[in-house]
Amino acid sequence: MSRIGKEPVQIPAGVTVEMKDGAMVVKGSLGTLTQVVDPKITLTVEGNTATFTRANDEKETRAKHGLYRALLQNMVTGVSKGFEKGLVVAGVGFKVQKQGTSVIMNIGYSHPVEFKAVEGITLECPSQTEILVKGINKEVVGQVAANIRAIRKPEPYHGYGIHYKDEVIQRKEGKTAGK
């Protein structure tokens, strides 16, 4: 058995999980998420727990057993609590501001850069150097945060650029004076 796949998923109050047309549908207070499931994997919901079983022990089926369990756990967490990814803008004169549903960034280019929010994602700027990406789909939140970070990756000498809140930037030593 897959160590991850055999673990049951706890379903909190206010969240419903069901199978419809070969897809698992998770509804909660923050929204609804849907994920297509391989026919070799079956989902059973009993009370407030959901478990997955697989049809055979082929390598691909064993891999999907743990995958769908992890996806369901992320979906349940997303519709009940939501996901958030923080970004920090570091640099002299670098700043961000929210304008409607998009974020305007002054990050050292000759022009301000505008990043529009994707459907289902909200962008917030609690300060001039922070961006919060929020949503119910963990995959989309992570991808939007990565797209924002890719606009100006942090450089290793001063750390200027956009980096994740919990990211540690490896610093390089600059030039040293000759003897």
Side-chain angles (χ1 to χ4, degrees):
M1 274 310 258
S2 166
R3 284 183 282 174
I4 295 171
K6 70 180 177 183
E7 291 290 318
V9 176
Q10 297 299 322
I11 303 169
V15 176
T16 60
V17 177
E18 61 182 358
M19 284 293 286
K20 267 189 189 172
D21 302 326
M24 52 186 171
V25 179
V26 181
K27 294 179 184 173
S29 60
L30 298 179
T32 303
L33 291 173
T34 306
Q35 174 67 47
V36 176
V37 180
D38 191 303
K40 295 176 185 173
I41 305 293
T42 57
L43 168 67
T44 55
V45 180
E46 296 172 355
N48 65 343
T49 60
T51 55
F52 287 93
T53 54
R54 59 180 186 239
N56 55 42
D57 277 345
E58 292 176 9
K59 187 175 183 178
E60 184 180 340
T61 310
R62 286 185 314 211
K64 289 181 179 179
H65 188 205
L67 169 74
Y68 288 122
R69 190 261 177 214
L71 289 175
L72 179 64
Q73 180 65 54
N74 287 340
M75 291 166 69
V76 167
T77 304
V79 297
S80 59
K81 298 176 190 169
F83 290 102
E84 179 180 296
K85 196 88 168 161
L87 296 161
V88 176
V89 178
V92 177
F94 287 16
K95 63 181 182 174
V96 295
Q97 62 184 7
K98 185 170 171 147
Q99 193 174 62
T101 59
S102 60
V103 172
I104 307 295
M105 298 178 272
N106 294 320
I107 48 176
Y109 294 126
S110 62
H111 59 284
V113 178
E114 181 180 359
F115 189 88
K116 295 182 194 277
V118 182
E119 184 180 337
I121 297 294
T122 57
L123 301 174
E124 295 178 7
C125 298
S127 72
Q128 288 189 341
T129 58
E130 289 182 85
I131 302 171
L132 289 178
V133 182
K134 294 182 178 182
I136 62 172
N137 191 334
K138 186 175 186 179
E139 182 180 357
V140 176
V141 168
Q143 186 61 54
V144 169
N147 291 346
I148 292 173
R149 183 183 180 275
I151 294 170
R152 186 81 180 214
K153 290 184 182 173
E155 53 92 21
Y157 295 102
H158 297 103
Y160 294 165
I162 302 172
H163 60 90
Y164 299 115
K165 229 177 212 178
D166 57 352
E167 181 180 9
V168 176
I169 300 167
Q170 292 292 326
R171 296 288 176 88
K172 290 183 178 178
E173 187 177 333
K175 291 182 180 179
T176 56
K179 292 185 179 183

